[in-house]
Amino acid sequence: MKHAKHFSATALACALVAGTPFLAEPAQAQRSSQVAMRVTGFDVEQVDRLEPGAELNFTVWGTPGATVLLQIDGSRRTVRLDETSAGRYQGSYIIGRSDRIGPDSRVHANLRRDNRVTTALLGEALQVGWPVPGETALRPEIQSMDVVRERGRGRADALRYTLRGTPGGQASVLLQGSETRNIILEEIRPGEYAGTYVLPRGAWVDTERPLTAQLRLGDRSVRSSVPNAYASVNLPPRRAEASCYDCATVQAVNAVQVDGEGRVLGTVAGGVLGAVVGSQFGKGDGRTAAGVAGAVGGALLGREIQKRNSERTQYEVVVRMNDGLQRTVVYADPPSFRVGDTVRVVGDTLAAYQR
């Protein structure tokens, strides 16, 4: 699952280390010495959970015309970023089942041009709500939070949320019920955050779930949950229907190339997905008309995959549950689900949702 970009001054605080130049021709060395190698920014789009199928999107700013490689602690391979504009490099990494990437994993960027290289360390965590790896700064603190019922416009109900804690931060609460969403709270006075949410007609709140709040201060954040927070609000309790408790929405369907040990080698392009589907209609021999038609867009990658019999393509379906959590289900064959489909999670597989 993909989320909003968290960009801060801390993310731009990179530790730069000048590399040792290699041997070069005198003229080339003279030209390279005139280029000041540097990284001016290093950012990642943080994710809610570091799990197989999660996509990490990186951006590095620095000297143009260079080659940028990333090394993520716990990953099985390096990540090469493309220069999308002068001095701006972008790329992504999809976490595989054999990766050991955690919230405390560090990410180093190596920017190389000719015989010069510099290194930068990412100044933020890969997962939302986690401190910068290696930092010992204190986290913000939530002291209390509560909710009261107010009368909205007409007959609508409104909920007033109040959080007290470390001043100067950004606060929010998680609303769960007929929909799951974050309610942003404004700091009305130092250390006191408040916000009002008017329930749309027909909407309801799951009053049996704990009230969860988050307080962020810079790149630090803390979460806290209060059980029975709606006890004095006098809202009629209602939980998600049992038939939809295990319902989810398909967020992405990724075709991923893996080796014989299940290690992810890379994301397969759409053409290869077509080739696989085509070969299914062509009874799998890859030489029928259906297989050829499916391989039009991915012939080049298809030839690379066939170099080793141990390599295969698996399909990772990323879904978001009704409670907001994200899960990934792996299939050996192309699944029939598409992005936006409503499905039910049954054990380690998915089933079509029947209304």
Side-chain angles (χ1 to χ4, degrees):
M1 176 195 65
K2 198 183 287 183
H3 297 264
K5 185 176 183 180
H6 300 270
F7 190 81
S8 64
T10 306
L12 296 178
C14 303
L16 304 182
V17 181
T20 303
F22 298 113
L23 294 177
E25 295 296 330
Q28 181 182 358
Q30 183 176 2
R31 289 194 302 270
S32 300
S33 63
Q34 297 174 356
V35 178
M37 299 298 297
R38 58 177 182 163
V39 173
T40 58
F42 192 2
D43 183 51
V44 63
E45 293 182 12
Q46 295 177 312
V47 296
D48 285 339
R49 293 173 64 89
L50 292 170
E51 60 184 1
E55 183 175 358
L56 300 172
N57 296 303
F58 297 94
T59 303
V60 170
W61 292 266
T63 305
T67 299
V68 177
L69 297 177
L70 303 185
Q71 181 60 57
I72 308 172
D73 291 349
S75 66
R76 297 292 183 178
R77 60 183 177 86
T78 58
V79 185
R80 183 183 180 116
L81 305 188
D82 297 323
E83 189 171 14
T84 56
S85 60
R88 180 178 182 177
Y89 305 84
Q90 293 181 298
S92 62
Y93 184 85
I94 297 179
I95 299 177
R97 299 175 65 86
S98 60
D99 285 325
R100 296 296 180 265
I101 300 175
D104 58 347
S105 293
R106 296 188 178 191
V107 185
H108 291 82
N110 292 322
L111 186 146
R112 180 185 302 275
R113 178 174 172 181
D114 297 330
N115 63 338
R116 302 288 294 177
V117 62
T118 187
T119 300
L121 177 65
L122 181 64
E124 60 181 322
L126 298 175
Q127 183 169 317
V128 174
W130 283 79
V132 178
E135 281 196 0
T136 58
L138 295 177
R139 288 188 178 185
E141 178 184 1
I142 295 177
Q143 299 170 351
S144 66
M145 55 182 175
D146 57 71
V147 56
V148 296
R149 183 180 180 183
E150 296 180 344
R151 178 62 62 184
R153 294 181 179 179
R155 297 183 178 180
D157 287 320
L159 298 175
R160 177 74 172 180
Y161 295 93
T162 304
L163 180 149
R164 295 174 180 85
T166 306
Q170 297 175 321
S172 64
V173 295
L174 180 64
L175 178 68
Q176 300 183 84
S178 54
E179 64 175 344
T180 300
R181 61 181 299 169
N182 279 312
I183 309 299
I184 305 300
L185 309 183
E186 296 184 1
E187 189 171 17
I188 57 178
R189 58 181 58 90
E192 182 175 342
Y193 306 83
T196 300
Y197 179 72
V198 178
L199 290 173
R201 178 176 298 180
W204 52 273
V205 176
D206 189 348
T207 58
E208 297 182 19
R209 289 179 178 266
L211 174 61
T212 302
Q214 175 175 283
L215 179 61
R216 173 178 292 275
L217 187 63
D219 285 323
R220 296 283 189 174
S221 66
V222 64
R223 292 190 181 188
S224 180
S225 296
V226 176
N228 303 318
Y230 295 96
S232 60
V233 178
N234 195 27
L235 284 175
R238 179 175 179 181
R239 295 184 61 88
E241 298 178 5
S243 59
C244 283
Y245 183 77
D246 54 0
C247 288
T249 303
V250 177
Q251 302 291 306
V253 181
N254 301 318
V256 179
Q257 185 182 357
V258 298
D259 62 15
E261 298 179 358
R263 291 177 297 189
V264 176
L265 302 176
T267 304
V268 181
V272 174
L273 179 58
V276 176
V277 174
S279 65
Q280 297 296 322
F281 287 104
K283 298 183 180 180
D285 60 10
R287 293 188 293 272
T288 62
V292 173
V296 169
L300 180 59
L301 290 178
R303 287 194 296 269
E304 293 296 327
I305 295 174
Q306 294 174 2
K307 286 183 179 180
R308 294 181 56 188
N309 293 331
S310 62
E311 296 178 6
R312 68 184 187 278
T313 301
Q314 69 182 24
Y315 304 86
E316 298 180 350
V317 182
V318 182
V319 300
R320 182 176 293 277
M321 306 296 295
N322 282 348
D323 60 5
L325 296 179
Q326 181 175 289
R327 294 187 58 179
T328 300
V329 181
V330 179
Y331 287 87
D333 298 316
S336 59
F337 307 110
R338 296 293 181 265
V339 174
D341 287 353
T342 300
V343 296
R344 295 185 63 184
V345 179
V346 182
D348 294 330
T349 187
L350 301 176
Y353 174 67
Q354 302 294 334
R355 297 183 180 276

